[in-house]
PDB file of all heavy atoms in Angstrom:
ATOM      1  N   TYR A  41      65.630  56.099  73.940  1.00 90.00           N
ATOM      2  CA  TYR A  41      64.602  56.915  73.265  1.00 90.00           C
ATOM      3  C   TYR A  41      63.337  57.097  74.260  1.00 90.00           C
ATOM      4  O   TYR A  41      62.633  58.076  74.159  1.00 90.00           O
ATOM      5  CB  TYR A  41      64.166  56.295  72.014  1.00 90.00           C
ATOM      6  CG  TYR A  41      65.102  56.570  70.861  1.00 90.00           C
ATOM      7  CD1 TYR A  41      65.834  55.526  70.316  1.00 90.00           C
ATOM      8  CD2 TYR A  41      65.295  57.878  70.393  1.00 90.00           C
ATOM      9  CE1 TYR A  41      66.784  55.811  69.259  1.00 90.00           C
ATOM     10  CE2 TYR A  41      66.203  58.156  69.387  1.00 90.00           C
ATOM     11  CZ  TYR A  41      66.947  57.073  68.824  1.00 90.00           C
ATOM     12  OH  TYR A  41      67.812  57.372  67.820  1.00 90.00           O
ATOM     13  N   THR A  42      63.175  56.094  75.125  1.00 90.00           N
ATOM     14  CA  THR A  42      62.042  56.243  76.116  1.00 90.00           C
ATOM     15  C   THR A  42      62.399  57.379  77.072  1.00 90.00           C
ATOM     16  O   THR A  42      61.547  58.242  77.375  1.00 90.00           O
ATOM     17  CB  THR A  42      61.874  54.937  76.894  1.00 90.00           C
ATOM     18  OG1 THR A  42      61.511  53.907  75.987  1.00 90.00           O
ATOM     19  CG2 THR A  42      60.754  55.104  77.891  1.00 90.00           C
ATOM     20  N   GLN A  43      63.657  57.435  77.532  1.00 87.00           N
ATOM     21  CA  GLN A  43      64.049  58.467  78.461  1.00 87.00           C
ATOM     22  C   GLN A  43      64.005  59.874  77.740  1.00 87.00           C
ATOM     23  O   GLN A  43      63.574  60.841  78.255  1.00 87.00           O
ATOM     24  CB  GLN A  43      65.412  58.184  78.982  1.00 87.00           C
ATOM     25  CG  GLN A  43      65.486  57.007  79.996  1.00 87.00           C
ATOM     26  CD  GLN A  43      66.857  56.845  80.524  1.00 87.00           C
ATOM     27  OE1 GLN A  43      67.739  56.347  79.836  1.00 87.00           O
ATOM     28  NE2 GLN A  43      67.074  57.200  81.802  1.00 87.00           N
ATOM     29  N   LEU A  44      64.463  59.865  76.458  1.00 90.00           N
ATOM     30  CA  LEU A  44      64.472  61.123  75.724  1.00 90.00           C
ATOM     31  C   LEU A  44      63.047  61.638  75.474  1.00 90.00           C
ATOM     32  O   LEU A  44      62.751  62.769  75.585  1.00 90.00           O
ATOM     33  CB  LEU A  44      65.163  60.892  74.368  1.00 90.00           C
ATOM     34  CG  LEU A  44      65.302  62.137  73.470  1.00 90.00           C
ATOM     35  CD1 LEU A  44      66.040  63.225  74.148  1.00 90.00           C
ATOM     36  CD2 LEU A  44      65.952  61.793  72.109  1.00 90.00           C
ATOM     37  N   PHE A  45      62.140  60.688  75.172  1.00 90.00           N
ATOM     38  CA  PHE A  45      60.740  61.083  74.944  1.00 90.00           C
ATOM     39  C   PHE A  45      60.147  61.641  76.234  1.00 90.00           C
ATOM     40  O   PHE A  45      59.382  62.688  76.213  1.00 90.00           O
ATOM     41  CB  PHE A  45      59.888  59.871  74.460  1.00 90.00           C
ATOM     42  CG  PHE A  45      58.465  60.117  74.388  1.00 90.00           C
ATOM     43  CD1 PHE A  45      57.881  60.825  73.345  1.00 90.00           C
ATOM     44  CD2 PHE A  45      57.570  59.712  75.404  1.00 90.00           C
ATOM     45  CE1 PHE A  45      56.562  61.134  73.247  1.00 90.00           C
ATOM     46  CE2 PHE A  45      56.221  59.975  75.378  1.00 90.00           C
ATOM     47  CZ  PHE A  45      55.715  60.678  74.299  1.00 90.00           C
ATOM     48  N   LEU A  46      60.479  61.075  77.354  1.00 87.00           N
ATOM     49  CA  LEU A  46      59.984  61.587  78.608  1.00 87.00           C
ATOM     50  C   LEU A  46      60.425  62.989  78.876  1.00 87.00           C
ATOM     51  O   LEU A  46      59.698  63.859  79.335  1.00 87.00           O
ATOM     52  CB  LEU A  46      60.363  60.669  79.753  1.00 87.00           C
ATOM     53  CG  LEU A  46      59.882  61.056  81.172  1.00 87.00           C
ATOM     54  CD1 LEU A  46      58.358  61.124  81.218  1.00 87.00           C
ATOM     55  CD2 LEU A  46      60.450  60.058  82.222  1.00 87.00           C
ATOM     56  N   LEU A  47      61.746  63.274  78.601  1.00 86.00           N
ATOM     57  CA  LEU A  47      62.245  64.644  78.762  1.00 86.00           C
ATOM     58  C   LEU A  47      61.500  65.656  77.852  1.00 86.00           C
ATOM     59  O   LEU A  47      61.130  66.721  78.277  1.00 86.00           O
ATOM     60  CB  LEU A  47      63.729  64.642  78.431  1.00 86.00           C
ATOM     61  CG  LEU A  47      64.714  64.170  79.502  1.00 86.00           C
ATOM     62  CD1 LEU A  47      66.120  64.260  79.114  1.00 86.00           C
ATOM     63  CD2 LEU A  47      64.558  64.996  80.814  1.00 86.00           C
ATOM     64  N   LEU A  48      61.364  65.287  76.607  1.00 89.00           N
ATOM     65  CA  LEU A  48      60.665  66.136  75.653  1.00 89.00           C
ATOM     66  C   LEU A  48      59.195  66.376  76.028  1.00 89.00           C
ATOM     67  O   LEU A  48      58.688  67.574  75.955  1.00 89.00           O
ATOM     68  CB  LEU A  48      60.736  65.584  74.210  1.00 89.00           C
ATOM     69  CG  LEU A  48      62.098  65.503  73.600  1.00 89.00           C
ATOM     70  CD1 LEU A  48      62.035  64.820  72.193  1.00 89.00           C
ATOM     71  CD2 LEU A  48      62.724  66.861  73.436  1.00 89.00           C
ATOM     72  N   PHE A  49      58.585  65.303  76.506  1.00 86.00           N
ATOM     73  CA  PHE A  49      57.160  65.488  76.953  1.00 86.00           C
ATOM     74  C   PHE A  49      57.046  66.406  78.115  1.00 86.00           C
ATOM     75  O   PHE A  49      56.187  67.314  78.201  1.00 86.00           O
ATOM     76  CB  PHE A  49      56.616  64.113  77.297  1.00 86.00           C
ATOM     77  CG  PHE A  49      55.214  64.120  77.972  1.00 86.00           C
ATOM     78  CD1 PHE A  49      54.131  64.383  77.134  1.00 86.00           C
ATOM     79  CD2 PHE A  49      55.094  64.031  79.329  1.00 86.00           C
ATOM     80  CE1 PHE A  49      52.848  64.391  77.718  1.00 86.00           C
ATOM     81  CE2 PHE A  49      53.844  64.111  79.898  1.00 86.00           C
ATOM     82  CZ  PHE A  49      52.720  64.292  79.083  1.00 86.00           C
ATOM     83  N   CYS A  50      58.008  66.290  79.074  1.00 82.00           N
ATOM     84  CA  CYS A  50      57.998  67.186  80.231  1.00 82.00           C
ATOM     85  C   CYS A  50      58.300  68.606  79.826  1.00 82.00           C
ATOM     86  O   CYS A  50      57.634  69.572  80.340  1.00 82.00           O
ATOM     87  CB  CYS A  50      59.089  66.727  81.270  1.00 82.00           C
ATOM     88  SG  CYS A  50      58.634  65.178  82.109  1.00 82.00           S
ATOM     89  N   ALA A  51      59.186  68.826  78.861  1.00 84.00           N
ATOM     90  CA  ALA A  51      59.477  70.182  78.379  1.00 84.00           C
ATOM     91  C   ALA A  51      58.244  70.839  77.736  1.00 84.00           C
ATOM     92  O   ALA A  51      57.935  71.986  78.022  1.00 84.00           O
ATOM     93  CB  ALA A  51      60.622  70.136  77.477  1.00 84.00           C
ATOM     94  N   VAL A  52      57.569  70.039  76.896  1.00 84.00           N
ATOM     95  CA  VAL A  52      56.349  70.604  76.232  1.00 84.00           C
ATOM     96  C   VAL A  52      55.297  70.941  77.235  1.00 84.00           C
ATOM     97  O   VAL A  52      54.603  72.017  77.151  1.00 84.00           O
ATOM     98  CB  VAL A  52      55.862  69.581  75.177  1.00 84.00           C
ATOM     99  CG1 VAL A  52      54.500  70.052  74.622  1.00 84.00           C
ATOM    100  CG2 VAL A  52      56.859  69.438  74.045  1.00 84.00           C
ATOM    101  N   VAL A  53      55.044  70.091  78.211  1.00 81.00           N
ATOM    102  CA  VAL A  53      54.029  70.275  79.218  1.00 81.00           C
ATOM    103  C   VAL A  53      54.335  71.554  80.026  1.00 81.00           C
ATOM    104  O   VAL A  53      53.470  72.402  80.316  1.00 81.00           O
ATOM    105  CB  VAL A  53      53.855  69.134  80.126  1.00 81.00           C
ATOM    106  CG1 VAL A  53      53.028  69.476  81.395  1.00 81.00           C
ATOM    107  CG2 VAL A  53      53.212  67.925  79.423  1.00 81.00           C
ATOM    108  N   ILE A  54      55.637  71.764  80.367  1.00 80.00           N
ATOM    109  CA  ILE A  54      56.070  72.965  81.203  1.00 80.00           C
ATOM    110  C   ILE A  54      55.857  74.196  80.421  1.00 80.00           C
ATOM    111  O   ILE A  54      55.245  75.223  80.886  1.00 80.00           O
ATOM    112  CB  ILE A  54      57.504  72.805  81.666  1.00 80.00           C
ATOM    113  CG1 ILE A  54      57.612  71.667  82.746  1.00 80.00           C
ATOM    114  CG2 ILE A  54      58.010  74.118  82.215  1.00 80.00           C
ATOM    115  CD1 ILE A  54      59.032  71.455  83.178  1.00 80.00           C
ATOM    116  N   VAL A  55      56.305  74.213  79.132  1.00 79.00           N
ATOM    117  CA  VAL A  55      56.148  75.390  78.288  1.00 79.00           C
ATOM    118  C   VAL A  55      54.699  75.749  78.078  1.00 79.00           C
ATOM    119  O   VAL A  55      54.304  76.918  78.198  1.00 79.00           O
ATOM    120  CB  VAL A  55      56.895  75.242  77.004  1.00 79.00           C
ATOM    121  CG1 VAL A  55      56.627  76.415  76.036  1.00 79.00           C
ATOM    122  CG2 VAL A  55      58.392  75.134  77.207  1.00 79.00           C
ATOM    123  N   TYR A  56      53.866  74.750  77.812  1.00 80.00           N
ATOM    124  CA  TYR A  56      52.443  74.978  77.547  1.00 80.00           C
ATOM    125  C   TYR A  56      51.783  75.512  78.860  1.00 80.00           C
ATOM    126  O   TYR A  56      50.955  76.444  78.816  1.00 80.00           O
ATOM    127  CB  TYR A  56      51.805  73.714  77.173  1.00 80.00           C
ATOM    128  CG  TYR A  56      50.283  73.807  77.058  1.00 80.00           C
ATOM    129  CD1 TYR A  56      49.688  74.571  76.066  1.00 80.00           C
ATOM    130  CD2 TYR A  56      49.470  73.179  78.047  1.00 80.00           C
ATOM    131  CE1 TYR A  56      48.295  74.704  75.972  1.00 80.00           C
ATOM    132  CE2 TYR A  56      48.069  73.306  77.907  1.00 80.00           C
ATOM    133  CZ  TYR A  56      47.522  74.077  76.938  1.00 80.00           C
ATOM    134  OH  TYR A  56      46.166  74.142  76.831  1.00 80.00           O
ATOM    135  N   THR A  57      52.184  74.966  80.024  1.00 79.00           N
ATOM    136  CA  THR A  57      51.600  75.413  81.249  1.00 79.00           C
ATOM    137  C   THR A  57      51.904  76.850  81.554  1.00 79.00           C
ATOM    138  O   THR A  57      51.048  77.633  81.947  1.00 79.00           O
ATOM    139  CB  THR A  57      52.125  74.529  82.411  1.00 79.00           C
ATOM    140  OG1 THR A  57      51.752  73.163  82.196  1.00 79.00           O
ATOM    141  CG2 THR A  57      51.538  74.958  83.795  1.00 79.00           C
ATOM    142  N   ILE A  58      53.184  77.240  81.395  1.00 75.00           N
ATOM    143  CA  ILE A  58      53.606  78.619  81.692  1.00 75.00           C
ATOM    144  C   ILE A  58      52.926  79.594  80.714  1.00 75.00           C
ATOM    145  O   ILE A  58      52.519  80.657  81.103  1.00 75.00           O
ATOM    146  CB  ILE A  58      55.159  78.715  81.585  1.00 75.00           C
ATOM    147  CG1 ILE A  58      55.828  77.909  82.679  1.00 75.00           C
ATOM    148  CG2 ILE A  58      55.527  80.233  81.736  1.00 75.00           C
ATOM    149  CD1 ILE A  58      57.304  77.929  82.627  1.00 75.00           C
ATOM    150  N   ALA A  59      52.806  79.215  79.413  1.00 72.00           N
ATOM    151  CA  ALA A  59      52.259  80.084  78.423  1.00 72.00           C
ATOM    152  C   ALA A  59      50.769  80.298  78.532  1.00 72.00           C
ATOM    153  O   ALA A  59      50.217  81.234  77.982  1.00 72.00           O
ATOM    154  CB  ALA A  59      52.643  79.628  77.033  1.00 72.00           C
TER     155      ALA A  59
END
Side-chain angles (χ1 to χ4, degrees):
Y41 282 114
T42 300
Q43 289 181 287
L44 181 61
F45 173 78
L46 181 60
L47 281 180
L48 293 176
F49 174 77
C50 291
V52 170
V53 169
I54 288 177
V55 172
Y56 174 71
T57 300
I58 294 176

